[in-house]
Amino acid sequence: MDASVFIKKWKKVDLRERSAAQQHFLDLCELVGHSKPAELDPTGESFTFERGASIHDGGEGWADVWKRNFFGWEYKGKHHDLNAAYNQLLRYREALENPPLLVVCDMDIIKIHTNFTNTTKRIYEIKLHELDTPRNLEILRNLFFDPEKLRPGYISVAITIEAARCIGEIAQSMRTRGLAPQAVAHFLDRCIFCLFAEDVDLLPVGSFSGILMKSKDKPLAVQKKISTLFTAMADGGDYGNDDIRHFNGNLFNNAEVLELSVREVADLLQASGLNWSAVDASIFGTLFERGLDPAKRAQLGAHYTSRADIEVLVEPVVMAPLRREWAETRAVLENLLKTGKKTTAAEVADTVANGQLTLSAPAKKKAQAEVDILLHRFLTRLQQVKVLDPACGSGNFLFVTLQMLKNLEKEVLDYALAHDITDYRPAVGPWQLYGIEINLYAYDLAQMTIWIGYLQWMRNNGYHLTDSPVLRPMENNFFNKDAIIDLTDPANPREAEWPRVDYVVGNPPFLGGNRIRKELGDEYVNTLFQVYKDKVPATADLCCYWFENALHHLQNGIINRVGLLATQGIRGGANREVLNHIKENGDIFFAVSDKEWELSGANVHISMVGFDMGEEILHILDGVPVNSINPNLTTNTNVTTAIVLTTNLNICYMGPSPKGPFDIAEELALSFLMQPNPHLRPNSDVVRPVISATDIGNGHRAMWTIDFAMLPAEMAAFYEAPFKHLETFVYPIRSQNNRQAYAEKWWQYAEARPGMRDSLAPLARFIVTPGISKHRLFVWKYAESMCNQGTHVFARSDDFFFGVLHSRVHELWARAMGTQLRERESGFRYTPTSCFETFPLPLPTEEQREAIAVAARELDALRNNWLKPREWVVTEMLEFPGSQAGPWARYITDADANGIGTVRYPRLAPRDSAHREMLAKRTLTNLYNQRPAWLDNAHRQLDAAVCAAYGWAPDISDDELLTKLLALNSERAQP
C-alpha cells in the first residue's frame, strides 16, 4: 500500500476505535513494509496487539499495540483526547518494558512521544493529510525499524548547560551594574523556577515569559509585573485572567524583584525559549551555582559530576539496605499470594490443581489483606527515610538520592497495582532530605534544585501534581551554617550537631592540611584544632573532619550509615587516622579506593567510603565482594596495624623546609662563592647545591641555596653577600609569617632539621629519596648538598642499606603504607614514620649482607653509566675558597693553619650543546618508565639477594610478602 492509497482510505473511515484500530495499524505495516504482528511474532512475545499491563490507578490495562524495545501504542477514536491516551501510556510504560517511543493515534493524527533516558522529550506529529511527505514517511519508518533515529539530538544535559550559560551571563551583567551578588542570585533563582513551572504547566502558559515579551522595552513594567506574579505564587490567587496555584515553600515569600536592563530582559526572554522542563536536575544545581556565584564564575565551562558517578556512592549506602528490605518483603508477599502463608515452609491446607496451589476465596481474601498491610508498612518505611548531606552544595547528591528513592517507591506501587491494590499514591518527597551548606548561593539553590527534580519526576512518571501548596517550607531541613564547628558560643566551640537521620551522603570540601590555615584563617583553624584535638591530626585534609563528625554521630545513634567522598590521600598518612578511628569503633563496608572525579572545575582522584557501626555484613571494595576493608582501603593483609620500630628511629628525616626564597641560580651562587668576608670565612660554608624531588627524578636544575643552619643573626651577618640577599628577598616574606618563630629567625630555614644534621655529620655520603614520585628512587648524595623538604634523607652510608631500600620488599611495603596521589602517574607519597620506621629490616649473615651490597653497587653503577655516558661528558673543575669545617671539606686542598683552602670540585658536564640535549632526556624517571632489560635484571638480582636475607623465595607473592613483613613488624615491636 502506498501513501496516497492509505490517505484516501482513512479519510473516509469513520469507524469507532475498537473496530478500526487494528486494521489501521495493519495498513501502516504495509505502508512502511514491516511484517505484521502475527507474521513476525506468532506467540506475541515481543510484538502483539492487546499487550496486558498494570497501571498506576489500579487493575490491568492493555496497550493496543506493543513492540519490545520499539514502542507502546494507544488508539483513540477520531477527535478524542490524545493527551489522555498519552497519560495512560505513561502510567504503564514500565509494564511495557519502558519502550523508547510512546505513540498515540486517533486515525487522523499520529503523535510519537520520545521516552529515551536522559534526553529531552520530543513529540513528532504526523497528520493524515501530510503523511505522504518524505519527512513524515521517514519518521514512520524509523518508528518501526530504528527508534534510535528519533532520539532527540538536543539532550537535557545540553539544555541545562545552555540554560546555565544564559542565566550566568544575566547574573554577571546585573552584578556589573552594582547590584548585590546574593540579591541577584536570589532573584534569578525565582526566575529559573518560573521558567521551569511554565514549561511543566504549573504556571499558565505565558504567565512569566509573556511578561518579558509584552514589556521587553519597559524594564520598570517588567519589574512590577514579575513582583505581582511572585506575590500570586506565594499565596495563590488571581493574576490577570489566570488562576495561579499556591506555591508557598518560602520560595516566593518576600522575594525581592530587581530591575532588569533592556538587554537583560531580552536575554531572559531568549532563555525562556529553552525547554526548561528538560533541564537535568542532577547537574542543574552545580552549573547554575557557577553562574550565580561570582567566586565560581570561572568554572562555568568546567566538567560536572554526573548522576552515574553519584549513584556509585548512594546505591550501596542508602539504596542497598532498602532494596534488601523490599526483596525480603516481596518474597513474603509472593508466598502469601501463592500459599496464603508468609513462608513456603508452612503447611498449606489448600488444594493443588495443575501443580499450582489454589487458594479458597476466604483464604485469598485474608492473604490479600495481609499483603495490603505489608505493602503499607514498607511504603511507610520509605516515606520515613531521612537523608542528610552535611556539605550539600547545590544539592546534586540529595537530588540523585531522592530520584533513587522515588524509583524504588514506584516499583513498589507498580507491584501493588499489579495485585489490585489501588489505594496508594507516591508520597516520598523533598521533605525527607536534609542539607547543611555554608555557602549562601549553594544553600539557596539546593532547595530549588531538589524541588525541580521532584516535580520533574512526578510529571515524567505520569502522576498529577495535585498538592496545594505545590511546595513545602524547608527551613527545618536545610541549614546555612558550618557543618563541623558550632560557634554559637564562641567561648566554648564544639563539634557541630547534625539532624537525626537514617543516612548521610555527600562530598565534603577537600583542602590539604598545608593549605587549611591559608584558606580559612588562623582564628578558625586554631579553633578547629582545639575542637578536634586528639581526633583529627592537624596536617589532615579538611574533608577528614566530616568523617570524624559522622563517626561521632554514628556512635551516638543519631545516624545509621554514612557514605562520603574524600581525597584519595585519605588512605595514608595523617588522613588515614580518621579511617583508623572508624575501624576501631565501627566498620567500613564499602569503598572505592581510587576514582576520577570533578572538583571545582578540575579533574582529581578521590576515594569513596561507606561506614557504619558494624551492622553491615556485605563488604564491597572497588566493586568486588571482600571479607573486610582495611583503613588504607585495601583488603587481605592490613598493614595499617604496623607500629613504629625503635630500631628504625633517627635514620630517616624529611629535608629542611625554607618557607621563603632561599634558593638561588647557579650563576649568582658562584659569584657569592668568590666574595670575601670580614671574618675571613668563605661563603661556601653557607652556599650549597640544593636537591629537590625534581632533581632526583628529572635531572639537576642547577639551583643552589643559602643555608645558615642554626647560626644566630650576628654570626650569619658576617657572610655579607648571602646575608644581604636574604635580607632583600626573604625578610619581607618571613617577617610577616604568622608563626612567630619563623618570623623572628627569618634568615634560617624555617624547619632546619637539627636532628638530621647531627645524624649526617659523621657520614661522607647519605641516601635520598623523593617525598613524592611515580617510581620509588634512591640515590647517593654528599655533604655539600642540601636536600630540601621535597626529599627524605637516610642517615646511612652503607651499600647494604641502600640495597634493601631499593628492593621490591621495601617498595611494596612503602606503597602499602604510603599514599598514592591522584592516579599512579602522579606518584605516591613516602613518609618516614609510616613507610620506613615501621619497616622490619632483614637480619642477614655477613655473606648475605655482602651479596646485597654487591647487587646494590652494581645497580647504582649501571644507572650512573646510563645517566652520564663517558662518551657524552667531560669533567669540569669548579674552584673557590672553602673550609675544612664546612660542607665542602672533602674537596679542600692547600688548607692554611685555620683550615681555609681551595675547593676543587669536579663535576661532569656535557661535551657540547648537542650532547646537552641528549643528556637532558637521560633522567631516572625516564629510565624507570622504559625499564630496559639490563635495569630489570639488576633489580631482579638485588631483589633475590634481599629475599634470601629474609629467608623467602624470590618469587614470593605480594600479599604473602606483606603478611610476612607485618608479622615481623609485630615480632620486632615486642619488648
Side-chain angles (χ1 to χ4, degrees), residues 10 12-25 50 64 74-80 105-108:
W10 286 98
K12 296 177 181 178
V13 172
D14 197 25
L15 296 172
R16 298 173 64 85
E17 171 195 343
R18 182 174 297 275
S19 304
Q22 291 193 9
Q23 185 57 53
H24 184 270
F25 185 82
E50 301 293 328
D64 289 323
E74 190 69 30
Y75 273 96
K76 291 293 180 187
K78 278 197 175 184
H79 312 303
H80 279 57
C105 177
D106 68 353
M107 275 73 76
D108 207 21

Side-chain angles (χ1 to χ4, degrees), residues 795-816:
R796 289 285 291 264
S797 62
D798 54 306
D799 291 312
F800 158 75
F801 190 83
F802 179 91
V804 173
L805 289 184
H806 229 320
S807 70
R808 167 182 168 241
V809 176
H810 178 249
E811 177 166 359
L812 191 63
W813 180 264
R815 286 193 178 274

Side-chain angles (χ1 to χ4, degrees), residues 83-354:
N83 288 332
Y86 176 61
N87 286 332
Q88 189 174 338
L89 278 175
L90 281 178
R91 291 200 301 273
Y92 52 69
R93 61 181 169 181
E94 278 76 17
L96 299 176
E97 302 177 25
N98 220 14
L101 302 171
L102 301 175
V103 186
V104 292
C105 177
D106 68 353
M107 275 73 76
D108 207 21
I109 296 174
I110 300 172
K111 279 190 175 182
I112 304 168
H113 296 255
T114 61
N115 187 43
F116 296 93
T117 304
N118 291 333
T119 69
T120 182
K121 305 299 178 186
R122 181 170 179 180
I123 300 173
Y124 297 89
E125 181 173 301
I126 302 174
K127 295 179 180 177
L128 179 61
H129 69 277
E130 298 173 345
L131 183 142
D132 58 348
T133 66
R135 175 57 179 156
N136 283 339
L137 288 171
E138 179 187 34
I139 291 171
L140 277 176
R141 281 190 285 269
N142 290 335
L143 168 66
F144 280 84
F145 295 99
D146 195 356
E148 278 296 316
K149 290 184 178 177
L150 298 181
R151 178 187 290 271
Y154 204 26
I155 62 173
S156 54
V157 168
I159 288 176
T160 311
I161 292 171
E162 176 62 14
R165 185 194 64 77
C166 291
I167 298 299
E169 288 182 358
I170 296 168
Q172 176 65 13
S173 173
M174 296 178 76
R175 291 192 295 260
T176 301
R177 291 195 289 114
L179 296 175
Q182 288 184 351
V184 169
H186 194 74
F187 168 60
L188 289 177
D189 279 347
R190 277 70 190 155
C191 293
I192 290 167
F193 185 85
C194 287
L195 292 169
F196 168 79
E198 192 174 281
D199 278 1
V200 297
D201 301 324
L202 286 174
L203 280 176
V205 175
S207 52
F208 185 81
S209 58
I211 293 173
L212 305 174
M213 175 64 73
K214 293 173 185 176
S215 304
K216 56 186 175 184
D217 298 323
K218 301 173 184 177
L220 288 175
V222 169
Q223 182 183 22
K224 182 178 179 181
K225 291 178 180 179
I226 290 178
S227 180
T228 304
L229 176 62
F230 282 5
T231 301
M233 294 175 73
D235 301 313
D238 294 335
Y239 174 70
N241 295 324
D242 294 319
D243 184 21
I244 301 298
R245 299 176 70 158
H246 181 194
F247 282 85
N248 196 358
N250 292 339
L251 192 63
F252 294 98
N253 291 352
N254 303 315
E256 181 183 8
V257 178
L258 304 180
E259 183 182 351
L260 295 159
S261 70
V262 173
R263 175 60 186 272
E264 289 157 3
V265 172
D267 290 344
L268 195 54
L269 177 59
Q270 182 178 356
S272 73
L274 296 170
N275 182 4
W276 286 82
S277 68
V279 293
D280 185 347
S282 68
I283 62 172
F284 173 93
T286 299
L287 298 186
F288 280 85
E289 183 190 354
R290 292 171 183 172
L292 296 172
D293 185 347
K296 298 188 176 183
R297 177 170 168 76
Q299 301 171 21
L300 252 178
H303 180 65
Y304 47 83
T305 301
S306 71
R307 181 195 306 252
D309 283 338
I310 296 171
E311 287 176 350
V312 171
L313 181 67
V314 175
E315 177 61 40
V317 174
V318 178
M319 301 308 301
L322 295 174
R323 292 192 202 284
R324 279 202 299 266
E325 288 182 43
W326 170 232
E328 292 165 1
T329 300
R330 185 165 179 162
V332 173
L333 299 179
E334 294 292 339
N335 292 331
L336 276 168
L337 291 168
K338 289 178 181 178
T339 70
K341 305 294 182 180
K342 289 184 178 180
T343 61
T344 53
E347 293 184 6
V348 180
D350 302 282
T351 59
V352 177
N354 301 321

Side-chain angles (χ1 to χ4, degrees), residues 37 40-49 51 66-68 97:
L40 187 64
D41 182 16
T43 63
E45 292 290 323
S46 61
F47 186 26
T48 185
F49 291 108
R51 169 71 175 190
W66 172 73
K67 185 181 181 187
R68 177 177 286 140
E97 302 177 25

Side-chain angles (χ1 to χ4, degrees), residues 584-889:
E584 290 164 4
N585 296 281
D587 196 19
I588 299 170
F589 62 81
F590 167 80
V592 175
S593 60
D594 187 351
K595 181 176 177 61
E596 288 187 2
W597 200 258
E598 185 274 334
L599 177 67
S600 300
N603 288 323
V604 298
H605 279 240
I606 57 95
S607 295
M608 295 181 175
V609 185
F611 56 100
D612 63 3
M613 291 304 295
E615 297 91 346
E616 179 59 74
I617 298 173
L618 183 64
H619 295 74
I620 303 292
L621 174 63
D622 294 330
V624 178
V626 295
N627 292 326
S628 65
I629 301 173
N630 301 324
N632 62 349
L633 306 188
T634 64
T635 190
N636 299 325
T637 305
N638 184 11
V639 296
T640 66
T641 61
I643 62 176
V644 168
L645 304 175
T646 57
T647 53
N648 287 23
L649 297 177
N650 303 319
I651 295 175
C652 183
Y653 302 87
M654 178 185 283
S657 176
K659 305 296 183 185
F662 284 74
D663 292 354
I664 56 178
E666 183 169 271
E667 183 179 2
L668 180 60
L670 295 179
S671 73
F672 284 169
L673 292 175
M674 301 307 296
Q675 296 184 37
N677 293 312
H679 66 337
L680 303 180
R681 299 284 301 180
N683 282 331
S684 60
D685 285 354
V686 297
V687 178
R688 332 163 51 179
V690 66
I691 305 299
S692 69
T694 300
D695 294 312
I696 296 170
N698 298 321
H700 202 277
R701 300 166 300 146
M703 293 296 291
W704 294 51
T705 195
I706 299 170
D707 173 32
F708 283 116
M710 280 72 70
L711 277 182
E714 57 270 20
M715 295 299 296
F718 283 120
Y719 297 92
E720 282 190 309
F723 189 83
K724 180 64 176 176
H725 180 86
L726 297 189
E727 202 171 35
T728 303
F729 295 100
V730 174
Y731 174 75
I733 298 172
R734 281 280 294 278
S735 63
Q736 302 300 314
N737 195 287
N738 291 323
R739 298 184 65 168
Q740 186 177 359
Y742 290 0
E744 290 177 350
K745 296 185 178 182
W746 57 266
W747 66 94
Q748 296 178 6
Y749 266 46
E751 298 293 342
R753 316 285 185 216
M756 179 202 77
R757 295 171 189 271
D758 290 344
S759 295
L760 293 182
L763 303 179
R765 66 177 184 173
F766 54 88
I767 303 167
V768 185
T769 191
I772 298 171
S773 63
K774 176 182 176 182
H775 306 287
R776 186 46 41 201
L777 305 171
F778 297 88
V779 297
W780 290 110
K781 291 297 173 184
Y782 297 86
E784 68 274 8
S785 296
M786 162 69 82
C787 296
N788 68 16
Q789 80 283 356
T791 67
H792 297 302
V793 173
F794 296 83
R796 289 285 291 264
S797 62
D798 54 306
D799 291 312
F800 158 75
F801 190 83
F802 179 91
V804 173
L805 289 184
H806 229 320
S807 70
R808 167 182 168 241
V809 176
H810 178 249
E811 177 166 359
L812 191 63
W813 180 264
R815 286 193 178 274
M817 297 296 290
T819 308
Q820 183 179 307
L821 299 181
R822 292 194 57 174
E823 70 290 342
R824 190 177 178 87
E825 287 295 317
S826 296
F828 79 98
R829 178 180 283 112
Y830 187 100
T831 53
T833 49
S834 59
C835 296
F836 175 71
E837 291 176 0
T838 60
F839 176 65
L841 293 156
L843 302 176
T845 65
E846 283 302 316
E847 184 179 355
Q848 290 170 336
R849 176 182 291 270
E850 182 58 23
I852 292 172
V854 168
R857 286 194 291 270
E858 176 71 8
L859 171 65
D860 187 50
L862 289 170
R863 290 192 320 193
N864 289 333
N865 292 340
W866 185 87
L867 290 169
K868 301 279 181 152
R870 61 185 180 180
E871 297 85 354
W872 296 4
V873 297
V874 294
T875 301
E876 64 177 21
M877 191 69 66
L878 293 182
E879 295 189 6
F880 47 85
S883 167
Q884 289 180 328
W888 300 88

